[in-house]
Amino acid sequence: MTQLSRRTFLKSLVAGAVVVGFDRATSSWVTSAHAAEQLAPNFPTFDGVLYTDAATRAEAAEDYGHIIHRTPNAVLKPGSVNDIVRLVRFAKNNNIKISGRGQGHSTYGQPQIQGGVVIDMSTLNTIHEIGRDYVIADAGLKWHQLLDSTLAQGLTPPVMTDYIELSIGGTLSVGGIGGASHQHGVQIDNVIELTVVTGEGNLETCSKNRNKDLFESVLGGLGQFAIIVRAKLKLIRAETSARVFNLFYDDIETFTGDQTRLIRDGRFDYVEGQVVPKAGGGWNFMLEAVSYYSGNKLPNNTRLLRNLSYTQGTEVISDTTYFAFLNRLEATEAFLRSIGVWFLPHPWFDVFVKSRHVNQYVGNILETLTLDDTGQGPILLYPVKTNKFTKPFFRVPDGEIVFLFDILRTAPNIPEVINAMMASNRELFETNRDLGGNRYAIGAIEFSQADWQQHFGNVWNDFRRAKNRYDPCNILGGGQGIF
């Protein structure tokens, strides 16, 4: 890999050339040896490494979606938070776009940037402190790694996403939803304090009681205002075991009715659900509910299953450890990697649907949806309570309860198939939008600036003001296409 020194700025950016500086007047890289003597002293030194080799840049031009490909000019693997401060300040002064990248699990180029610099946050992955009810950790740490350490203290974050190999900073930039969200909100609702680098290059600490506007803006702010570098997160007592109930349904009305009942009465710690293929074609529905416990304090199955209308005799009930349940996708990931499916395009569709529309909206889609349309990918459908969501830029429809609906598509490497799935995503989005629904911004839906303005609705002016305040030169978050 090619490293950058102070006097050989951005080597190998252009084939056959050595880039030694940046000309503000022309917003271009400078390759003159004479200019190197003049410009190199202005370039910052780093505790980590700024890479310009083709392999590192190509890796940063990809994400899990494998649909959008934007190649940066360089990739910073920071050795410290100060590296990010130095780079952002330099980028601001020279009109260079910056993008933070966690695990690259986005599906439509959200952390990518063409011609700018990607910050690979994975090198900042330290747990700094675990207290009685909190943990302080770097944004590049994976939730899996965090959980390993907190469980050793009998503690856990209140909400975990289904896939726990994501970075802390990555999920905090979009929301971080999971089966416990009906009780605890999304992950951004369980943050105590953040350390961030704003688009001005300022290192700031923020919380509900300190720099509150910055705190509220960054959480769920889609990387538009600052780069999250560290987070203080809420912890709760962790149980050791999980009893998992998979309950099956033939019709969507009964299925969503039981889901709604469960999140209202709170009898389960975790509630999700899937649309599952039926033998011979068509779809059934699986309600997934979990009760956590420790020792011999076993859950009461009769109490937990009372008044539910699943198809009797089809239920599957099993016990596992708390960690094994949260890490249940590990084996699936290993299998998908082994057969190459993990590396195929993933044009995911992710939206929030109003409760009163969910049965008709999803039911209409399922009338014609086939396994070929999903690429054998799972379909998620489950409710959450909107009163648990506290951050203004995490957008969900009006109503006490809304449903997350995800078609987690996998496509072959065939442009026509990918384009057809993307067109379907757009059509399904527009139908839901017209019913008052919202996009969950992890998916692959082509969005215009007008779409983003509609998405943020009555907080759009607040969103725009936060951009002007914290990233006035618009160097951050370009992969989202908001500004």
Side-chain angles (χ1 to χ4, degrees):
M1 292 184 179
T2 305
Q3 299 185 18
L4 267 169
S5 70
R6 183 182 179 91
R7 298 178 60 82
T8 56
F9 173 28
L10 295 180
K11 186 177 181 180
S12 302
L13 282 177
V14 181
V18 176
V19 178
V20 292
F22 190 84
D23 188 336
R24 291 188 199 175
T26 61
S27 295
S28 61
W29 306 112
V30 178
T31 59
S32 161
H34 174 69
E37 293 300 317
Q38 296 178 324
L39 297 178
N42 298 321
F43 186 67
T45 57
F46 297 109
D47 300 317
V49 179
L50 190 62
Y51 292 94
T52 62
D53 61 285
T56 305
R57 292 164 56 220
E59 183 179 0
E62 289 286 338
D63 62 13
Y64 183 68
H66 300 295
I67 300 168
I68 301 296
H69 313 277
R70 303 187 185 107
T71 304
N73 284 347
V75 177
L76 174 66
K77 297 194 176 185
S80 67
V81 169
N82 285 333
D83 279 357
I84 299 175
V85 173
R86 296 177 188 122
L87 177 63
V88 172
R89 288 178 179 175
F90 182 83
K92 176 200 169 190
N93 291 334
N94 292 280
N95 194 30
I96 300 171
K97 297 289 187 180
I98 298 287
S99 180
R101 174 188 173 96
Q103 292 300 307
H105 201 73
S106 57
T107 61
Y108 202 59
Q110 288 91 334
Q112 298 176 22
I113 201 74
Q114 184 67 40
V117 181
V118 168
I119 303 175
D120 181 347
M121 298 296 296
S122 65
T123 54
L124 297 183
N125 56 14
T126 299
I127 295 176
H128 297 275
E129 182 181 354
I130 299 177
R132 291 192 306 170
D133 57 0
Y134 69 88
V135 58
I136 300 174
D138 288 342
L141 189 77
K142 296 179 185 179
W143 288 97
H144 181 167
Q145 297 167 321
L146 182 79
L147 198 62
D148 282 340
S149 296
T150 63
L151 285 181
Q153 308 296 322
L155 299 168
T156 181
V159 179
M160 298 295 290
T161 56
D162 290 340
Y163 180 59
I164 61 175
E165 297 301 318
L166 307 175
S167 71
I168 291 172
T171 64
L172 295 187
S173 70
V174 293
I177 199 165
S181 288
H182 70 285
Q183 291 194 356
H184 300 286
V186 286
Q187 288 178 327
I188 60 176
D189 298 307
N190 294 278
V191 179
I192 300 168
E193 185 178 88
L194 291 175
T195 303
V196 305
V197 179
T198 70
E200 291 272 59
N202 297 327
L203 181 63
E204 302 275 6
T205 299
C206 54
S207 67
K208 290 181 180 179
N209 301 314
R210 180 181 180 185
N211 292 335
K212 182 179 179 181
D213 180 72
L214 178 60
F215 182 70
E216 298 284 304
S217 298
V218 170
L219 292 169
L222 306 182
Q224 292 300 309
F225 316 114
I227 296 170
I228 300 170
V229 296
R230 191 169 297 169
K232 183 177 182 180
L233 306 168
K234 178 182 177 181
L235 296 176
I236 60 175
R237 187 174 69 88
E239 305 288 0
T240 61
S241 302
R243 179 161 293 177
V244 183
F245 297 78
N246 292 329
L247 312 175
F248 292 86
Y249 296 76
D250 295 324
D251 67 276
I252 190 170
E253 291 85 2
T254 308
F255 168 66
T256 58
D258 274 2
Q259 286 184 312
T260 300
R261 179 178 296 108
L262 292 184
I263 71 164
R264 279 184 170 149
D265 66 27
R267 72 180 83 169
F268 282 100
D269 300 299
Y270 169 107
V271 176
E272 285 196 12
Q274 295 185 31
V275 181
V276 294
K278 183 166 54 177
W283 304 94
N284 283 329
F285 306 89
M286 182 186 74
L287 193 160
E288 184 179 32
V290 183
S291 181
Y292 301 133
Y293 65 98
S294 296
N296 60 1
K297 295 182 179 179
L298 301 178
N300 184 318
N301 290 7
T302 301
R303 182 185 68 82
L304 290 172
L305 296 177
R306 74 179 187 275
N307 301 326
L308 297 182
S309 301
Y310 59 92
T311 304
Q312 295 295 316
T314 63
E315 66 273 18
V316 178
I317 303 172
S318 60
D319 289 271
T320 186
T321 67
Y322 176 77
F323 177 77
F325 173 71
L326 294 181
N327 196 36
R328 62 196 179 281
L329 294 184
E330 180 183 37
T332 300
E333 177 187 346
F335 172 72
L336 294 177
R337 285 181 181 273
S338 71
I339 62 175
V341 171
W342 189 264
F343 308 102
L344 292 174
H346 294 95
W348 283 7
F349 176 74
D350 306 87
V351 293
F352 290 104
V353 185
K354 283 192 170 186
S355 180
R356 69 174 181 267
H357 296 308
V358 68
N359 292 334
Q360 182 174 358
Y361 173 72
V362 175
N364 288 343
I365 292 171
L366 296 180
E367 286 182 0
T368 58
L369 193 73
T370 68
L371 284 176
D372 286 341
D373 297 324
T374 71
Q376 307 287 326
I379 302 172
L380 307 183
L381 180 63
Y382 62 89
V384 288
K385 293 180 178 179
T386 60
N387 66 359
K388 300 295 183 181
F389 304 144
T390 62
K391 300 298 175 280
F393 298 148
F394 182 74
R395 306 303 293 160
V396 294
D398 296 333
E400 174 199 2
I401 290 172
V402 299
F403 279 77
L404 178 71
F405 177 51
D406 298 335
I407 305 175
L408 305 184
R409 305 183 195 258
T410 297
N413 273 313
I414 301 173
E416 293 79 7
V417 176
I418 298 169
N419 292 339
M421 288 185 177
M422 289 295 299
S424 174
N425 285 356
R426 180 68 200 190
E427 181 180 357
L428 298 180
F429 158 76
E430 290 179 358
T431 301
N432 185 52
R433 177 201 62 196
D434 294 345
L435 293 170
N438 290 88
R439 174 189 182 185
Y440 183 32
I442 66 169
I445 302 172
E446 188 171 355
F447 249 37
S448 67
Q449 290 181 338
D451 288 325
W452 283 115
Q453 185 170 345
Q454 182 276 327
H455 170 81
F456 287 106
N458 61 5
V459 299
W460 169 249
N461 287 335
D462 295 331
F463 195 87
R464 186 176 57 184
R465 278 193 291 268
K467 185 68 169 179
N468 291 336
R469 181 175 181 181
Y470 300 116
D471 182 29
C473 295
N474 191 22
I475 66 167
L476 300 178
Q480 296 280 6
I482 299 175
F483 294 99

